[in-house]
Amino acid sequence: MKTELHFKKSLLVSALAVATLALAGCANTAAQGKYVDGVHQVSGKGKKSEITLEVKVEQGKISAMKTLSHKETESLYLNAERLLPEIVSRNGHEGIDAIAGATYSSNGILKAVNDLPRVDGSKPEFQSVGPRSQTGDDDFKLKWSIQPRLGTVKGDYYFEEARFRQGHMGSMLVVVDSNNRQDVLLAEFNESGRPNYYTRLYQDVPKRMSEYNFSMGKKKGTAWVQSALTMEKLMMEKDQLTFELNPNYDPKLGNKLTEPNRLKYQGIDIVAGASNSIQQSMIPLTAKIHSRIQTGASPEVFYQQAEKILDEKGRWTGVTAMLRVVVDKNTQKITHAHYDEIFADDKKEIQDASLKAFYRQSKYHSINYVEPARIGFNVMIDALEKHLEEGGSLFNINDLPAAGDTGSYAQTGFTKRSDAWDNYLRLAGVLYQQMRTDGVISEHALAPAAK
C-alpha cells in the first residue's frame, strides 16, 4: 500500500512538473510576441521606388518606425507616412487600408512591414489594399453579382426604353434564341437617374454598374440592382416576359414586404428598393418586347463576348472585358456596339490596389473611375460606338481617343494609349469570326500595319 501511494505521489509530481513546464513555455511564447526582437530594415515596392523602413521590435511588438529611404513623390509619400503610427499601435499592417491619393506608396509601406521576421517563422502572402476614403464599405454586407456570362451569347435582339416617374429613363434589353424565340437567353434592365435628380452626382447616371447601388444600400439597406437581378433571373429561368396584373393591388402599401397586395403584378416577389422601377418601367417595357417577339423575328442579331482579363502569369486580374455588337441582318451593318470592363464582385479578387474601390462597378458606368490614359473611359467608348455605327471597321481604331500616345501636357494636354483597346481588339476578333461564319456582317478592314 505504501509503495502504491509513493507511485501515485511520483505521478502527481511528474504531472505538476510537466504542467509547470507547459505554463513556462506559454509564458515564453507570450513574451516572444508576434515579431522577432531587434532593429530590422525592411523594404516594399512603392510606385516609383523601393521604400525602406527601420522598424524596432521589443518583446515581440513594434515600438518604433521610421523611413530610411524612398524616391516616391515627396508630397504623396508624406501622406502615406501617416500609416506608420497606426502600424505601431496595431502591431502590424493587417486590417489597414491605404491612404487615398497615395495608394502605391501606402502599399509599399505595408508590404515592407509584412516582411518583418516573425517569431513563428511564417511569412504571410501580402495582399495589396485599396484607399480607405473610397472603399469605406468594410461594413457593407449587401451582396450581388454584375459579372457577365463568359464566352459568347448570340440571338435575336430586342430593346426598349422610355422615361417614367418624374423623368427616370428605363431601358430593357432582351435576347432570345433565333430558332426558338420563346427561349430567353438574356434579360437586362437598366435605369438612369432623371436629369433633375435631387442628388446631382446621380443625374443621368445609369444605376446598374455605378456607385449608386452602394449609396442606396447604405441608406436603405437594399440596392437597386438586387431587384433588377431578381427579375432578370426569373425571366430567363422561366422564359417569361409578361405578368398578370394583381387585382388586389394597393399602391399605398409601397415597400411593406409582409403585405401581399403591395405588388402590381402577380407571380413575382421583388426585393425592396426598386419595386417602383420594376413595376413602372421594367415590366411594361418587357411587355412591349414580348409583343414584338410574337409578331416575328427581329431584324437585328445580338453578339456578346465576355472574357476574364489575365495577367502575364495567367491569373485573373479581377477585371472582365465585355463587347456587345448588334448587326442588322438585312444591311449587314453594325447598328449598336458597346465595350466595357467590369470589376469583380469582391474587391479581394482585384489585383490592382488602386482599383479595389470599384468592385461591382464597370469602368464605363463608374462616376469616380480614373482612366490612366488621361481621358474619360466613357469618352473612349462613346467614340468607338459612333465610329462603328457610322460604318467604321472593328479593327481600324487608330483615330479614336487614347489609341496612341499623343499631345503635349504643357501645351495641349496629352493621352496615353489605353490597355483597354488591346482587350477590345481581342474580343472584336472573336466576335468578327463568329459573325462572318454566320454570314451576318460585311467584311471589315484590318488596322493598317504599324510603320
Side-chain angles (χ1 to χ4, degrees), residues 31-40 55-64 91:
Q32 287 177 333
K34 183 176 178 181
Y35 299 109
V36 175
D37 284 356
V39 178
H40 308 281
V55 183
K56 185 177 182 180
V57 178
E58 297 178 300
Q59 295 185 334
K61 294 184 178 181
I62 299 172
S63 59
N91 194 35

Side-chain angles (χ1 to χ4, degrees), residues 133-384:
S133 64
Q134 287 184 310
T135 53
D137 48 29
D138 292 333
D139 60 346
F140 193 79
K141 305 302 181 183
L142 298 180
K143 301 291 183 182
W144 65 84
S145 175
I146 60 166
Q147 289 300 300
R149 187 188 316 174
L150 297 177
T152 305
V153 178
K154 65 176 183 177
D156 282 7
Y157 168 81
Y158 298 88
F159 181 83
E160 292 283 346
E161 66 178 0
R163 293 199 178 274
F164 71 102
R165 192 166 54 92
Q166 296 179 303
H168 295 285
M169 177 64 82
S171 64
M172 189 67 201
L173 163 66
V174 173
V175 178
V176 298
D177 190 315
S178 299
N179 299 314
N180 176 15
R181 295 196 299 276
Q182 304 307 311
D183 184 3
V184 180
L185 303 178
L186 180 64
E188 186 175 293
F189 178 60
N190 207 344
E191 176 188 331
S192 295
R194 64 184 191 266
N196 61 344
Y197 199 61
Y198 57 87
T199 301
R200 183 174 182 179
L201 187 65
Y202 297 119
Q203 291 172 359
D204 288 319
V205 171
K207 298 179 179 180
R208 186 181 185 89
M209 291 191 283
S210 70
E211 292 87 342
Y212 179 84
N213 291 298
F214 292 92
S215 177
M216 178 180 178
K218 289 176 181 178
K219 291 179 180 177
K220 298 188 176 181
T222 186
W224 176 93
V225 71
Q226 291 177 294
S227 286
L229 292 170
T230 299
M231 285 299 298
E232 292 163 6
K233 182 179 179 182
L234 174 64
M235 290 178 177
M236 288 185 284
E237 287 184 349
K238 296 190 174 184
D239 296 320
Q240 182 179 355
L241 297 178
T242 59
F243 299 87
E244 298 294 326
L245 288 169
N246 178 0
N248 300 313
Y249 170 62
D250 183 355
K252 295 180 181 179
L253 293 176
N255 290 329
K256 296 181 179 179
L257 300 179
T258 58
E259 300 295 334
N261 300 331
R262 70 185 181 89
L263 297 176
K264 188 175 180 180
Y265 296 90
Q266 291 182 324
I268 61 175
D269 187 16
I270 304 169
V271 178
S275 56
N276 286 326
S277 299
I278 302 301
Q279 296 177 122
Q280 296 178 25
S281 181
M282 183 182 189
I283 293 180
L285 291 175
T286 309
K288 288 184 179 180
I289 291 175
H290 175 75
S291 179
R292 289 173 53 195
I293 291 174
Q294 305 314 304
T295 62
S298 170
E300 296 177 304
V301 60
F302 171 93
Y303 287 83
Q304 173 180 294
Q305 184 70 20
E307 297 179 3
K308 290 185 174 181
I309 299 175
L310 307 179
D311 64 14
E312 63 278 358
K313 295 183 179 179
R315 300 172 299 185
W316 186 33
T317 59
V319 183
T320 302
M322 181 183 73
L323 174 62
R324 290 175 169 176
V325 177
V326 179
V327 182
D328 187 303
K329 299 175 186 176
N330 299 317
T331 65
Q332 295 193 330
K333 293 183 177 179
I334 293 174
T335 57
H336 305 284
H338 184 70
Y339 175 77
D340 204 348
E341 293 184 357
I342 301 159
F343 297 106
D345 295 332
D346 189 330
K347 60 184 176 182
K348 294 179 181 178
E349 297 176 305
I350 302 172
Q351 289 185 14
D352 188 334
S354 67
L355 300 178
K356 290 179 181 291
F358 305 109
Y359 76 110
R360 293 190 218 155
Q361 300 167 48
S362 80
K363 291 184 178 181
Y364 184 86
H365 293 291
S366 171
I367 301 168
N368 293 308
Y369 170 72
V370 178
E371 170 57 35
R374 299 187 64 85
I375 195 169
F377 187 85
N378 60 321
V379 174
M380 293 166 47
I381 303 310
D382 287 345
L384 172 67

